[in-house]
């Protein structure tokens, strides 16, 4: 009951009063129960933040058996802005790969020019051998390098250096070697491993205070700067001083999350049941699908959609996150766009205003939970870092670099992240935490990492 009590002067409240007259009691009960199940009030967020901090420690202590893999990236040098010269990056993501070059001009010149080419990976290579795939990539890279001209030139006596963004789970063995753990995506799912590291590198190039990077796109992941002496599982192998970027793979977190029957059903029907639970709750791939499942239940058990579900409504993943975003941004008095999306995408024609308003409530519940949990995750990482560095994170300015299509395009989601962070940290401390969209995409980040780790670094 309490979850429905909101200030009477809000638009949502006015809408809800009208909803009561048009949708069935059963539909209301489903939405109410769903909203309550999704609720992520501060005590829940605190438990999530503490849980993430605790699981980070476990994952840093030893490999295997913990929710967070905490993968050492062997990246210990981030860009400073002083880098100079020509650097390349290769970004192998889902179905495309990008080759990119950047000419860096040091502190004053910064990014003089960049150029990239995107190449689709032929279908047959996705199912072929890795030799064939890498031969193809190498040959396309070769062609791209030959077209180097204009502002791009290699300082004499240097070899070209390249950074590689590889969005698949890799067990790195050093900064320039690693073992592929498994092919994911259509090669099959998301596993945005190194793009977080690229994002952090891109942010640090411009801002010395960048310490954490978070990707909120199709999937989600986070990485941060860890102290070597806080990574027991690496001790004995590497010097105990200095820092290393740790890839948390935080999408795997699963404790204390407010999950509903719809989330559980989504997970059970997924290709990786029981895995990536935080990712399934907060990332772009899944938000629309959770909403679709709620609508479907209303159609099947309520009077709402005339008692039977249209085929489209029964099709997994037809409703996408951009649809939720568009519905929430509909400012028209009759929610025309919401009606159009319900009709075009879900096959629900002639929806009443009451139904459209309920649709927005459902979207909001999902997005609010997603944004707030992402905020709690960020706070968990920062609290862990702060505790281990005797307060240096919260006492000075700390930047959290954000990237990914969900973060970029969904204003409500961003607002909920911010509210959660302020709620958890308080208004004073949260002034020191700057959560901002990273200026450079992960692609250029990889080139910047190549530059920061260049064997010619002494010349910068
Ligand atoms: P990836 O994680 O595959 O690299 P992106 O970072 O480009 O992908 O993010 C793509 C995701 O961003 C989509 O799956 C979708 O969930 C979300 N997204 C894209 N456009 C919008 C939009 N207009 N509104 C809300 N979410 C969006
Ligand atoms: Mg991406």
């Amino acid at each position: 009951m309490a979850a429905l009590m909101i200030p009477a002067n809000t638009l949502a409240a006015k809408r809800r009063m009208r909803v009561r007259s048009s949708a069935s009691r059963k539909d209301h009960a489903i939405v109410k129960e769903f909203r309550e199940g999704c609720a992520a009030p501060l005590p829940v967020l605190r438990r999530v933040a503490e849980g993430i901090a605790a699981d980070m420690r476990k994952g840093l202590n030893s490999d295997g058996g913990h929710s967070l893999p905490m993968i050492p990236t062997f990246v210990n040098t981030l860009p400073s802005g002083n880098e100079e010269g020509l650097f390349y990056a290769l970004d192998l993501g889902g179905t495309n790969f990008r080759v990119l070059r950047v000419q860096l001009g040091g502190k004053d010149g910064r990014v003089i020019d960049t150029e990239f080419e995107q190449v689709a990976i032929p279908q047959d290579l996705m199912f072929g051998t890795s030799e064939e795939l890498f031969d193809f990539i190498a040959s396309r890279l070769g062609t791209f390098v030959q077209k180097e001209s204009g502002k791009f030139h290699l300082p004499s006596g240097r070899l070209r250096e390249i950074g590689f963004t590889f969005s698949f789970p890799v067990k790195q063995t050093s900064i320039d070697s690693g073992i592929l753990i498994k092919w994911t995506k259509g090669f099959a799912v998301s596993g945005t491993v190194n793009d977080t590291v690229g994002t952090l590198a891109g942010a640090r190039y411009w801002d010395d205070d960048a310490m954490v990077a978070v990707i909120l796109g199709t999937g989600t992941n986070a990485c941060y700067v860890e102290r070597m002496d806080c990574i027991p599982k690496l001790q004995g192998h590497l010097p105990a001083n200095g820092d290393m970027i740790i890839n948390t793979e935080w999408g795997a977190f699963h404790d204390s999350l407010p999950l509903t029957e719809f989330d559980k059903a989504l997970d059970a029907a997924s290709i990786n049941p029981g895995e990536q639970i935080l990712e399934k709750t907060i990332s772009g791939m899944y938000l629309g699908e959770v909403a679709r499942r709620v609508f479907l239940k209303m159609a099947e058990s309520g009077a709402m959609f005339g008692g039977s579900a249209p085929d489209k409504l029964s099709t997994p993943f037809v409703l996408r996150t951009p649809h939720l975003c568009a519905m929430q941004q509909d400012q028209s008095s009759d929610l025309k766009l919401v009606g159009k999306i319900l009709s075009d995408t879900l096959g629900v024609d002639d929806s009443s205003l009451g139904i459209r308003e309920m649709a927005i409530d459902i979207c909001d519940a999902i997005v609010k939970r997603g944004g707030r949990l992402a905020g709690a995750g960020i706070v968990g990482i920062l609290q862990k870092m702060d505790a281990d560095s005797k307060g240096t994170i919260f006492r000075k300015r700390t930047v959290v670099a954000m990237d990914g299509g969900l973060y970029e395009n969904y204003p409500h989601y961003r607002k909920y992240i911010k509210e959660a962070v302020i709620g958890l940290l308080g208004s004073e401390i949260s002034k020191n935490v700057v959560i901002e969209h990273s200026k450079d995409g992960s692609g250029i980040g990889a080139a910047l990492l190549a530059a920061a780790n260049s064997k010619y670094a002494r010349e910068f």
Side-chain angles (χ1 to χ4, degrees):
M1 202 58 198
L4 279 174
M5 287 172 48
I6 53 173
N9 60 352
T10 66
L11 184 60
K14 284 181 204 148
R15 280 182 183 152
R16 191 166 291 107
M17 282 156 66
R18 287 203 306 270
V19 171
R20 293 222 160 101
S21 62
S22 57
S24 82
R25 211 171 254 210
K26 203 156 190 175
D27 295 325
H28 276 290
I30 292 170
V31 176
K32 177 171 179 286
E33 193 187 333
F34 178 66
R35 289 180 69 101
E36 288 172 354
C38 280
L42 282 178
V44 170
L45 296 186
R46 269 191 206 103
R47 273 202 300 281
V48 170
E50 281 162 17
I52 284 182
D55 282 8
M56 286 169 73
R57 289 204 165 83
K58 286 183 203 157
L60 290 169
N61 206 45
S62 62
D63 276 334
H66 317 301
S67 84
L68 301 187
M70 303 300 282
I71 303 170
T73 62
F74 293 84
V75 173
N76 54 18
T77 308
L78 283 168
S80 63
N82 293 321
E83 294 78 9
E84 275 185 57
L86 174 63
F87 298 92
Y88 277 82
L90 191 59
D91 182 352
L92 181 62
T95 48
N96 291 303
F97 77 90
R98 292 205 310 165
V99 281
L100 172 148
R101 62 181 142 242
V102 56
Q103 188 78 34
L104 299 176
K107 260 289 176 290
D108 301 320
R110 294 285 171 153
V111 177
I112 294 169
D113 207 356
T114 57
E115 204 167 47
F116 76 91
E117 252 173 40
Q118 186 152 311
V119 183
I121 301 168
Q123 277 286 318
D124 53 327
L125 286 185
M126 288 198 207
F127 304 102
T129 67
S130 48
E131 280 81 3
E132 287 167 331
L133 178 66
F134 286 114
D135 280 354
F136 174 76
I137 290 170
S139 83
R140 299 310 294 255
L141 174 63
T143 314
F144 181 67
V145 169
Q146 278 166 10
K147 288 187 276 181
E148 200 177 86
S149 65
K151 291 189 178 159
F152 301 98
H153 56 87
L154 194 67
S156 67
R158 287 204 204 167
L159 291 171
R160 287 177 186 78
E161 292 174 297
I162 188 162
F164 189 15
T165 301
F166 191 59
S167 302
F168 299 91
V170 168
K171 182 176 168 68
Q172 297 236 180
T173 47
S174 73
I175 189 156
D176 58 6
S177 61
I179 298 160
L180 178 65
I181 298 166
K182 60 182 170 190
W183 285 107
T184 56
K185 304 192 210 182
F187 311 84
V189 253
S190 80
T192 39
V193 175
N194 291 329
D195 51 358
T196 43
V197 182
T199 300
L200 184 54
R204 178 63 75 86
Y205 180 75
W206 298 102
D207 193 330
D208 293 341
D209 294 334
M211 298 295 278
V212 180
V214 174
I215 302 277
L216 287 161
T218 307
T220 183
N221 196 10
C223 73
Y224 72 105
V225 180
E226 184 56 283
R227 291 155 42 135
M228 282 303 296
D229 63 342
C230 293
I231 317 175
K233 69 183 177 184
L234 285 185
Q235 268 156 30
H237 304 279
L238 291 164
N241 51 2
D243 296 325
M244 185 183 286
I245 311 294
I246 296 289
N247 163 19
T248 64
E249 286 292 317
W250 82 354
F253 182 76
H254 52 66
D255 286 339
S256 318
L257 301 174
L259 301 177
T260 66
E261 60 178 285
F262 305 100
D263 302 293
K264 288 170 192 161
L266 180 155
D267 176 49
S270 71
I271 57 166
N272 52 351
E275 291 176 24
Q276 299 296 103
I277 304 298
L278 181 69
E279 180 162 81
K280 286 169 183 162
T281 317
I282 73 171
S283 83
M285 178 163 171
Y286 304 97
L287 303 182
E289 173 62 3
V290 177
R292 184 195 67 84
R293 286 172 177 272
V294 182
F295 293 142
L296 182 62
K297 176 161 179 180
M298 289 162 74
E300 284 171 344
S301 62
M304 188 178 215
F305 302 128
S308 74
D311 282 351
K312 281 185 186 165
L313 185 53
S314 308
T315 312
F317 293 97
V318 277
L319 190 68
R320 314 293 310 178
T321 301
H323 294 129
L324 305 196
C325 183
M327 287 198 268
Q328 281 203 274
Q329 285 175 327
D330 188 350
Q331 296 291 322
S332 63
S333 58
D334 58 348
L335 299 175
K336 194 189 270 68
L337 183 61
V338 176
K340 184 169 160 49
I341 290 172
L342 289 178
S343 167
D344 294 355
T345 311
L346 297 178
V348 177
D349 298 325
D350 302 321
S351 51
S352 69
L353 185 58
I355 290 174
R356 295 175 189 183
E357 287 165 339
M358 290 179 109
I360 292 179
D361 281 352
I362 291 166
C363 296
D364 190 61
I366 294 168
V367 168
K368 186 172 186 176
R369 177 181 66 172
R372 286 176 70 81
L373 290 174
I378 291 168
V379 168
I381 292 178
L382 293 174
Q383 283 175 333
K384 193 272 172 206
M385 294 170 82
D386 192 68
D388 290 350
S389 63
K390 304 192 172 53
T392 57
I393 293 293
F394 292 139
R395 250 189 279 135
K396 62 173 225 4
R397 180 175 175 273
T398 296
V399 172
V400 180
M402 309 293 294
D403 203 6
L406 175 60
Y407 185 81
E408 272 172 68
N409 296 303
Y410 212 140
H412 297 75
Y413 195 101
R414 286 199 299 273
K415 183 192 81 174
Y416 288 130
I417 292 179
K418 206 167 171 188
E419 280 178 8
V421 171
I422 294 172
L424 285 170
L425 294 178
S427 56
E428 277 312 302
I429 288 177
S430 54
K431 277 187 199 136
N432 283 340
V433 175
V434 181
I435 298 176
E436 63 186 15
H437 186 224
S438 154
K439 279 190 186 158
D440 290 308
S442 58
I444 188 168
L448 294 172
L449 272 177
N453 293 277
S454 166
K455 60 178 171 185
Y456 309 109
R458 268 175 288 119
E459 298 168 22
F460 298 155

